[in-house]
Amino acid sequence: RRRDCSNADLFEADRLAYEEAYAATGGALLVYWFAGLDADHNCLATCVWSARDVARSVNALPRHREAARLSADVYVSYHIDRYRIRMDAPRQRLDVAPW
């Protein structure tokens, strides 16, 4: 993230987008971590959704679009990793694999 950006504006937009997504999807946003930046100014925010199609549907919501617009102005670059998480009940473990 650019060092000269307004973190307060971005954090507020992110909070509003999270609240909107959670409400609009009936709680399908299972977990959301939004921590500070790492030493290299990378944002390591993480979302865990109940289903990929639900996660994709949030892109059209107004507060999500506003947060994305603000993000486009403050990030030098970005990379999104996507993983599929499945419960392997017989073995009592989670399986995590790239999507």
Side-chain angles (χ1 to χ4, degrees), residues 13-80:
D14 187 63
R15 182 186 65 78
L16 293 171
Y18 159 77
E19 291 173 358
E20 178 184 57
Y22 187 84
T25 61
L29 177 53
L30 303 175
V31 177
Y32 181 67
W33 290 282
F34 188 82
L37 304 174
D38 69 8
D40 294 323
H41 252 232
N42 294 310
C43 173
L44 304 175
T46 302
C47 300
V48 178
W49 292 89
S50 63
R52 187 174 185 189
D53 60 328
V54 176
R56 294 178 77 188
S57 72
V58 183
N59 290 329
L61 297 175
R63 289 183 174 162
H64 186 86
R65 293 175 67 87
E66 175 62 13
R69 186 191 65 74
L70 287 173
S71 295
D73 292 339
V74 299
Y75 284 95
V76 176
S77 65
Y78 69 92
H79 176 80
I80 299 173

